[in-house]
Amino acid sequence: MKNSQGDTLRVHLDKYRDIVGLRSTRCQRKYNQDRYKVLVLDAPQPETNPANIATTDTTSSSNSTRAISQMDADLKTLFYFAIFDGHGGSNTADYLTANLDEYIETAKPEMVPKVIEDLRKLGGYFRNFRPHFLEPFLPADFEKRGLKDAADRARQQRRVHIPGKGGQIKPMIFIPHPNATEEEQEQELESLENRATAAGTKVGSATPAPTEVLLSEEQRKQKERAATNKSRVEVPREGEEEDEYDEDDDPFVIARRRNLNRTSPLPGGSTAYFGTYRSEYASPSLRAEDMVEKERRKQQAAAAAVAPMPATMTLEQRLCLSFLQCDAELVRDKYRDGSTASVVIVQSKGAFWETEDDLDLILAHVGDTRILLCEAPRGESIQLTTDHHPDAVVEADRIRRMAAYVTADSFGENMFLGQLANTRALGDIAMKPFGVSAEPELVRRTVKASEAAFLVLISDGISSVMSNQEVVDCVKLENNPTQAAANVLNLAEQLGAEDNCTVMVVKLPAWGSKMPDLSKELREYRWQSEAQQSRARRR
């Protein structure tokens, strides 16, 4: 890279303590599952040569302008800063630290259909998954291809007969779990075969006819009278009204609903249900939504058939694809733990900490780690990301469609499905069908060099005990980013932080500007209060 004087520099960012400050600790946890990474991305080479683009008409001229603009953006230096907070283990966080930046560099348009198809195999929330940022790269026949795959999976379903209560043989449909391997499916079918064999019935054979029972003369006459009465057509008399049929009172319908409700799919296992009437009781509102969605996709397919597929990808599209590609790989390799991810790419001509040009901040975010921007000279904290918690308005509306539930733990924190504090994460494959998505929140923000003081990336161990403004004000007190990160971490520990804590401070051009300390009195009060409580506990 080059500095403002035009000199070529080679900088190891995560070891250059005057530019990037890093501090991380396990705090009161047994292990530290937070991870971070800092590097310079290889700018993708543009595939189109603007000198070879004809400009004979308006359309080609606009395409040429877009191509040149994209090339100019790609020629800028891309500085990559990322923070990951693992939960349930550190395997997913380690995977993201090692591979996410490489996926961003190697992202290509032709990868999109395969990644979306892999995620759709999860079913549930991902059954009709179609991310907005990757729409231009899906072929016109993508939905038809998905229907064909669904038909192939339906043919793989096997009808079996197993004994129910009282030895009665009932037909069942065995549907393999999407994450189950062929070996696991065969083991499940083998257990069903053993049950059927014990009852004297082979899997896949027809239901045996009931044994003929000898009836007495009186029983035979009663059976004939019942058949005769059933064949008669009763005509209502004058003044009498025929009883209106009520489906809720029909014992046959009640029995079918009881069987339907008794067998609901659970994560991690196979799904089997009695009967063939599962679709009869689908919610009318859901069917209406499906019709609207089907019509929308038909219109999109018609538009895609006319518009050619783009040959290049924007940085936002690369980030979206890389997040989903990592998630698909984690699902394929069956990573049971999960991780949040907050990535910010600083796009700059030359050194970002001393440039006089505007800076482009491109963010991709999943979970509750945060990215903060300090704006000079006012010194205010600007949160660039949104915490993906169950009580967030957008997330609550999204997961409500899957009939998922949210409960509060003993500390009053809302938990998705009673297990996760985040509704978006990478990994966590058991929760994927219920709405835990890795589709990132994407933000692009252009800031003036004179107004950008610094960036702070923090994990939820910090944000759980400190406000955004307190974090930013702690950084202002130091001239060195590394010492500033240490200040934030020390105050968080003094205020009783328990979770893993990680702080990354990134110096921007307006670093060192004179700014007011907006939370000084609050920090002093909290520090004195915590010190008094600590002395009281020691007594």
Side-chain angles (χ1 to χ4, degrees):
M1 60 170 291
K2 295 181 180 297
N3 63 3
S4 57
Q5 286 76 32
D7 300 326
T8 301
L9 304 177
R10 292 182 61 87
V11 179
H12 205 306
L13 287 177
D14 58 352
K15 294 183 179 179
Y16 196 178
R17 298 184 178 182
D18 291 335
I19 303 299
V20 180
L22 291 165
R23 282 292 182 269
S24 183
T25 179
R26 64 182 176 87
C27 215
Q28 298 184 24
R29 297 295 177 90
K30 190 174 182 180
Y31 303 103
N32 188 357
Q33 298 174 352
D34 288 355
R35 300 291 185 268
Y36 54 83
K37 194 167 188 179
V38 180
L39 53 80
V40 178
L41 293 175
D42 291 335
Q45 296 298 325
E47 300 178 5
T48 305
N49 185 1
N52 298 329
I53 299 178
T55 57
T56 57
D57 55 14
T58 306
T59 303
S60 59
S61 177
S62 61
N63 291 338
S64 174
T65 303
R66 285 197 297 269
I68 294 173
S69 176
Q70 180 63 31
M71 289 179 64
D72 289 342
D74 290 339
L75 291 176
K76 293 181 179 179
T77 307
L78 306 179
F79 300 92
Y80 172 91
F81 306 94
I83 185 171
F84 310 102
D85 182 3
H87 49 261
S90 60
N91 295 325
T92 299
D94 290 333
Y95 181 88
L96 295 174
T97 306
N99 298 292
L100 183 58
D101 55 285
E102 182 180 350
Y103 284 173
I104 297 173
E105 294 174 340
T106 59
K108 295 181 180 179
E110 53 267 24
M111 297 178 178
V112 174
K114 178 64 168 61
V115 172
I116 303 304
E117 287 174 359
D118 290 343
L119 291 174
R120 284 192 172 191
K121 293 177 183 178
L122 292 170
Y125 174 82
F126 290 94
R127 181 182 58 185
N128 300 318
F129 185 60
R130 197 180 179 101
H132 168 71
F133 274 88
L134 302 181
E135 283 273 3
F137 308 106
L138 295 177
D141 62 341
F142 183 73
E143 294 301 332
K144 294 181 180 179
R145 192 187 311 173
L147 293 174
K148 181 178 180 299
D149 295 341
D152 293 340
R153 288 194 298 271
R155 282 193 292 270
Q156 295 174 0
Q157 299 175 6
R158 298 171 64 173
R159 186 180 297 275
V160 297
H161 295 77
I162 68 170
K165 293 183 178 180
Q168 182 181 5
I169 304 298
K170 293 186 177 182
M172 294 185 67
I173 298 176
F174 174 76
I175 303 177
H177 190 273
N179 293 334
T181 62
E182 293 184 2
E183 183 179 355
E184 293 170 344
Q185 295 179 25
E186 290 299 328
Q187 292 177 355
E188 184 69 18
L189 280 172
E190 185 179 354
S191 65
L192 293 176
E193 289 175 359
N194 294 335
R195 294 175 60 186
T197 303
T201 306
K202 294 183 179 180
V203 174
S205 63
T207 305
T211 306
E212 186 68 23
V213 180
L214 297 178
L215 302 177
S216 63
E217 185 66 21
E218 184 177 355
Q219 290 175 339
R220 185 178 59 79
K221 290 180 180 180
Q222 290 179 355
K223 186 176 181 180
E224 290 177 354
R225 285 196 298 268
T228 303
N229 294 335
K230 186 176 181 180
S231 63
R232 293 176 183 172
V233 178
E234 296 183 359
V235 180
R237 301 176 183 177
E238 294 184 3
E240 293 183 356
E241 295 183 359
E242 186 177 0
D243 293 338
E244 185 179 355
Y245 172 75
D246 189 357
E247 187 184 61
D248 294 335
D249 295 335
D250 190 334
F252 183 63
V253 174
I254 294 174
R256 287 194 296 183
R257 288 176 178 172
R258 188 181 300 116
N259 285 335
L260 175 66
N261 295 333
R262 192 188 322 171
T263 55
S264 60
L266 296 175
S270 300
T271 302
Y273 58 85
F274 291 112
T276 58
Y277 308 100
R278 190 176 182 86
S279 62
E280 292 184 12
Y281 306 107
S283 170
S285 62
L286 291 179
R287 288 201 297 269
E289 290 179 3
D290 289 342
M291 294 298 293
V292 173
E293 183 69 14
K294 190 180 296 184
E295 184 64 26
R296 184 183 69 84
R297 287 179 184 161
K298 188 183 296 184
Q299 295 175 358
Q300 291 175 346
V306 177
M309 184 179 297
T312 59
M313 303 183 76
T314 64
L315 198 51
E316 290 89 339
Q317 291 167 338
R318 289 178 178 275
L319 285 165
C320 183
L321 176 58
S322 61
F323 269 63
L324 297 177
Q325 186 179 2
C326 277
D327 200 40
E329 294 288 340
L330 293 168
V331 170
R332 187 197 65 184
D333 296 338
K334 296 188 176 181
Y335 279 65
R336 297 294 176 182
D337 58 344
S339 175
T340 68
S342 293
V343 175
V344 56
I345 296 177
V346 180
Q347 200 172 33
S348 169
K349 291 183 179 179
F352 65 86
W353 59 88
E354 62 178 13
T355 183
E356 296 180 357
D357 298 324
D358 293 348
L359 296 175
D360 290 327
L361 308 179
I362 301 93
L363 292 85
H365 165 68
V366 164
D368 57 2
T369 43
R370 294 182 184 177
I371 302 177
L372 309 177
L373 171 67
C374 178
E375 187 178 34
R378 291 177 294 184
E380 295 179 353
S381 169
I382 301 175
Q383 183 173 337
L384 301 179
T385 57
T386 303
D387 293 343
H388 294 143
H389 286 168
D391 50 2
V393 176
V394 176
E395 293 302 290
D397 183 59
R398 182 177 66 86
I399 63 179
R400 191 179 294 116
R401 301 174 188 173
M402 298 303 300
Y405 63 89
V406 177
T407 59
D409 61 9
S410 57
F411 298 97
E413 183 179 4
N414 289 329
M415 305 293 287
F416 178 55
L417 295 175
Q419 300 185 43
L420 293 178
N422 295 304
T423 54
R424 296 198 194 191
L426 292 104
D428 292 320
I429 62 175
M431 298 297 172
K432 289 297 179 188
F434 300 95
V436 176
S437 172
E439 183 177 5
E441 170 193 354
L442 296 165
V443 177
R444 176 182 283 266
R445 188 184 184 100
T446 302
V447 295
K448 295 181 179 179
S450 59
E451 297 179 354
F454 53 84
L455 288 169
V456 186
L457 287 75
I458 57 175
S459 62
D460 63 335
I462 300 291
S463 59
S464 62
V465 295
M466 296 179 65
S467 67
N468 295 341
Q469 192 60 49
E470 287 177 317
V471 172
V472 167
D473 288 340
C474 280
V475 175
K476 296 175 189 175
L477 301 178
E478 297 295 333
N479 294 325
N480 182 275
T482 300
Q483 186 58 46
N487 281 357
V488 175
L489 198 60
N490 292 338
L491 181 58
E493 289 180 326
Q494 292 173 6
L495 296 178
E498 298 180 354
D499 201 356
N500 301 154
C501 295
T502 300
V503 185
M504 181 188 299
V505 179
V506 182
K507 179 181 178 180
L508 295 181
W511 175 272
S513 300
K514 187 176 181 180
M515 294 177 286
D517 189 345
L518 302 178
S519 64
K520 180 178 180 181
E521 295 180 358
L522 176 61
R523 295 199 313 275
E524 291 178 351
Y525 169 77
R526 294 186 63 193
W527 183 83
Q528 293 176 1
S529 177
E530 185 65 28
Q532 292 175 0
Q533 293 179 10
S534 178
R535 287 194 294 270
R537 286 193 294 268
R538 287 197 296 268
R539 294 174 185 174

